[in-house]
């Protein structure tokens, strides 16, 4: 796996990786992470095009998803008396 870039953002850590013919966009917030895979064949402009995907709407949706993920984990822990 090759580290391509860190994409700066104030609310989430964003790392761009390349592996096995795919670009991986890895977003991390606290103990949670989301990874999006995009085939290198789908992008003619290389990693510059992947960076374009990380616009305000994309990050806002990812942040909402992080909140849902946190809530889902919290509910599961509570259901099984693990808190």
């Amino acid at each position: 796996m090759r580290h391509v870039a860190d994409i700066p953002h104030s609310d989430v850590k964003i790392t761009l990786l390349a592996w096995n013919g795919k670009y991986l966009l890895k977003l991390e917030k606290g103990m949670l992470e989301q990874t999006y895979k995009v085939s290198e064949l789908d992008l003619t402009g290389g990693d510059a095009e992947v960076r374009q995907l990380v616009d305000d709407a994309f990050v806002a949706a990812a942040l909402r998803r992080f909140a849902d993920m946190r809530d889902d984990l919290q509910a599961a822990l509570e259901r099984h008396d693990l808190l």
Side-chain angles (χ1 to χ4, degrees):
M1 190 170 304
R2 179 174 60 92
H3 179 269
V4 177
D6 292 316
I7 301 171
H9 195 277
S10 60
D11 296 320
V12 63
K13 180 181 179 192
I14 304 172
T15 307
L16 177 58
L17 306 160
W19 179 69
N20 203 21
K22 296 177 190 67
Y23 288 108
L24 284 74
L25 268 173
K26 182 172 145 181
L27 288 78
E28 299 174 78
K29 186 161 179 73
M31 296 296 292
L32 301 172
E33 73 178 45
Q34 300 174 43
T35 302
Y36 298 85
K37 297 178 184 178
V38 180
S39 173
E40 290 178 357
L41 298 175
D42 292 339
L43 303 173
T44 58
D47 63 270
E49 282 188 344
V50 179
R51 293 170 193 248
Q52 289 178 8
L53 297 175
V54 186
D55 60 10
D56 290 340
F58 181 87
V59 173
L63 290 171
R64 288 190 302 272
R65 200 165 295 111
F66 275 125
D68 291 341
M69 291 168 67
R70 183 192 64 237
D71 293 346
D72 292 343
L73 180 59
Q74 181 73 27
L77 290 168
E78 289 173 1
R79 268 195 315 277
H80 297 284
D81 295 321
L82 297 174
L83 280 180

